[in-house]
Amino acid sequence: MKSTFKLATLRSAIALAVFSVAVGVSAKPLVVCTEASPEGFDTALYTTAVTADASAETIYNRLVDFKPGTTEIVPALAETWEISDDGLTYTFHLRKGVKFHTTEYFKPTRDMNADDVVWSFQRQLDPNHPWHKQSMVGYPYFESMGFKELLKSVEKVDDSTVKFTLTRREAPFLADVAMAFASVYSAEYADQLLKTNKTDNLNSQPIGTGPFVFQRYAKDAQVRFKANPDYFRGKPPADTLIFAIATDNNVRLQKLKANECQIALYPKPDDIPSIKKDTNLKVDELNAMTTAYIAMNTTHKYMSDVRVRKAIEIAFDKEAYVNALFGKGNATVAVNPYPDTLLGYNKELKNPAHDLDKARALLKEAGVPEGTVLTLFTRNGGGPTNPNPMLGAQMMQADLAKVGIKLDIRVMEWGEMLKRAKNGEHDMVSAGWAGDNGDPDNFLTPNLSCEAAKNGENYARWCNQKFQTLIDQAREKTDPAERASLYEQAQVIFNQDLPWISMAHTKMFTAMRNNVEGYHISPLTTNNFATTQAK
């Protein structure tokens, strides 16, 4: 007997009602002040949350979704699915009548069907697919998540049915295909671009089935969308959605107060009390699935020695850092690579004491000369895992100076920093991760696996085979207790080898005008405005 997910008519109605919008629509544009520019709009090429917000959450859909504000899986482009007894076959039954966007540059001739799902996955999976080598950066999330090895085949059964066959059991598979990299593209549009030699347009003139239709992008200034009138969950209440890009937290807040934007993402934690006192504003907040961290490039001179990495960790006062950047109660000092709300968090592990003398001794033992210069890459604007990048970098610089290390702080635009970090140009990089599916594997595999070290998404370039074996085994287990035990063991190895300094697990804040309705803050730190309006 198969393990089957079937939707009764009533349950389908309830699931759709979660996403439905009010009958009356607002003519007012919804302006959201965001913290950085998207890297592009071909979401399969990128891993950052800001890019996902501007592409996966607006333009595209996936087979399944997360219910707003939760990690619960609900139907999306697939209405129902079945899982075989051995856990190796997933059969998805597609929703009928879903329309791709109609724009000046593309007029679809058919509805979304199985060909589009197969194209979206085969493009990333099959080296012989005509689109596979169109990407100069590969498919970082697909590859980092091990999908090249996981997917044996993705096949069209008929126009409304797709069958995925796996090479092994994968406990988080459904949650994985709810993530941005699994977005469904128009195969018809892709064929048009390939025939006209305009394949770059997939990244600059995107087509999807999502709640908003892309209009235009002015780099570092604004992304503009219009509501999709044919959206299968109902037309969004905001006719126009604008992402106004402002890297500075203070600028975003001032624009919000002036009503130049109705939502301001990622205000500084120390601004929250004053925002709450403003009668025109309100704040949504929750404990997010995030980790702020410093990745140490384990392939660089000195940094390849674990003694040096441990010296840097104990020389740096993490508690002072967290208090200064986040304020009391807005973040916890991190020990492990993911927060304690997730399965298998190892509560036995503790941070070593801040100890300058021991740090000096370790550096001397490792042969690091006094005055050695190490680089730290950091971003130019604040976000949820690093609200004040320059302050944090300067605090680390001051602490490391006490043990004879000179820190060369290099501040750069978010996308440029990520590009250079993936190339391995840094000694250290200040980074952060927001969980995309509520599973611990989503923190460990994309950021710390050997495959991710190859493609640069693992900024530490750390590959530990014992660690890799444990997280591989954990993905295959369906028993939560067994998975938890394997993750606990993996965290022991992580803390022994120390590719990161795990800095903080943070709260997430979104500030908005009082007249904003229908916004759901997400523990996954994604932002979807399909049901949001400013009345």
Side-chain angles (χ1 to χ4, degrees), residues 133-280:
K133 292 182 180 178
Q134 296 297 327
S135 169
M136 301 299 292
V137 297
Y139 301 93
Y141 221 139
F142 185 91
E143 294 162 4
S144 297
M145 292 290 287
F147 264 52
K148 284 195 304 183
E149 295 75 32
L150 174 65
L151 292 183
K152 183 177 180 180
S153 63
V154 182
E155 302 170 274
K156 173 182 177 180
V157 178
D158 56 43
D159 276 353
S160 58
T161 311
V162 180
K163 183 173 73 172
F164 288 70
T165 303
L166 312 187
T167 59
R168 62 174 187 267
R169 281 183 176 268
E170 183 82 353
F173 181 71
L174 277 178
D176 290 346
V177 295
M179 290 161 52
F181 77 92
S183 294
V184 174
Y185 293 68
S186 166
E188 184 183 19
Y189 179 50
D191 288 345
Q192 172 184 303
L193 295 178
L194 195 62
K195 288 174 183 176
T196 56
N197 198 28
K198 295 180 179 179
T199 54
D200 288 349
N201 287 12
L202 197 69
N203 199 26
S204 60
Q205 294 183 331
I207 292 290
T209 58
F212 292 96
V213 180
F214 176 82
Q215 288 189 289
R216 59 182 179 271
Y217 170 44
K219 185 172 171 55
D220 298 331
Q222 184 186 99
V223 190
R224 194 176 187 93
F225 308 89
K226 65 178 180 180
N228 177 8
D230 299 317
Y231 189 44
F232 67 90
R233 288 174 173 143
K235 180 179 177 290
D239 287 338
T240 302
L241 173 65
I242 298 169
F243 286 179
I245 298 159
T247 58
D248 189 286
N249 317 63
N250 296 320
V251 171
R252 294 197 294 275
L253 181 55
Q254 292 309 313
K255 284 179 175 288
L256 179 69
K257 290 181 175 179
N259 202 24
E260 293 177 25
C261 57
Q262 289 73 56
I263 297 175
L265 300 179
Y266 316 127
K268 288 188 296 186
D270 54 7
D271 284 333
I272 298 302
S274 65
I275 295 172
K276 288 181 176 178
K277 290 179 182 177
D278 190 321
T279 57
N280 294 313

Side-chain angles (χ1 to χ4, degrees), residues 356-427:
L356 296 177
D357 290 336
K358 187 175 180 180
R360 293 187 193 98
L362 283 169
L363 291 170
K364 184 176 180 181
E365 185 182 318
V368 180
E370 180 88 14
T372 292
V373 177
L374 298 176
T375 59
L376 173 69
F377 289 7
T378 195
R379 62 189 293 179
N380 64 344
T385 57
N386 193 349
N388 195 334
M390 197 60 199
L391 173 60
Q394 289 171 338
M395 291 180 74
M396 175 171 261
Q397 184 182 55
D399 283 350
L400 295 190
K402 297 172 186 175
V403 296
I405 291 176
K406 294 182 179 180
L407 197 63
D408 178 11
I409 300 170
R410 300 188 183 179
V411 181
M412 55 195 78
E413 185 269 331
W414 176 239
E416 178 67 16
M417 186 190 82
L418 294 182
K419 179 181 176 182
R420 294 180 63 179
K422 288 174 187 177
N423 289 336
E425 299 175 26
H426 60 292
D427 291 316

Side-chain angles (χ1 to χ4, degrees), residues 409-465:
I409 300 170
R410 300 188 183 179
V411 181
M412 55 195 78
E413 185 269 331
W414 176 239
E416 178 67 16
M417 186 190 82
L418 294 182
K419 179 181 176 182
R420 294 180 63 179
K422 288 174 187 177
N423 289 336
E425 299 175 26
H426 60 292
D427 291 316
M428 292 180 279
V429 59
S430 179
W433 187 257
D436 290 311
N437 66 10
D439 194 279
D441 177 69
N442 182 243
F443 279 80
L444 305 182
T445 293
N447 296 305
L448 292 162
S449 67
C450 293
E451 184 62 37
K454 291 177 188 176
N455 65 29
E457 291 297 322
N458 177 343
Y459 301 143
R461 306 225 156 185
W462 177 70
C463 174
N464 183 296
Q465 287 300 331

Side-chain angles (χ1 to χ4, degrees), residues 48-161:
T48 63
V50 67
T51 299
D53 283 355
S55 55
E57 296 297 323
T58 47
I59 299 164
Y60 299 105
N61 291 109
R62 287 142 298 283
L63 291 169
V64 295
D65 266 334
F66 298 106
K67 181 179 176 181
T70 77
T71 57
E72 178 187 340
I73 297 294
V74 296
L77 295 180
E79 288 188 298
T80 64
W81 53 90
E82 295 115 37
I83 307 170
S84 63
D85 288 342
D86 61 7
L88 298 180
T89 303
Y90 288 70
T91 303
F92 293 92
H93 302 282
L94 304 182
R95 190 181 301 277
K96 295 179 181 178
V98 175
K99 310 291 184 185
F100 279 104
H101 300 157
T102 295
T103 66
E104 292 180 359
Y105 49 88
F106 179 65
K107 306 290 189 293
T109 64
R110 60 166 177 80
D111 293 345
M112 183 276 303
N113 66 27
D115 292 328
D116 304 302
V117 178
V118 172
W119 186 95
S120 301
F121 284 88
Q122 286 294 110
R123 170 205 182 193
Q124 302 181 72
L125 177 65
D126 181 5
N128 297 316
H129 191 277
W131 271 83
H132 184 79
K133 292 182 180 178
Q134 296 297 327
S135 169
M136 301 299 292
V137 297
Y139 301 93
Y141 221 139
F142 185 91
E143 294 162 4
S144 297
M145 292 290 287
F147 264 52
K148 284 195 304 183
E149 295 75 32
L150 174 65
L151 292 183
K152 183 177 180 180
S153 63
V154 182
E155 302 170 274
K156 173 182 177 180
V157 178
D158 56 43
D159 276 353
S160 58
T161 311

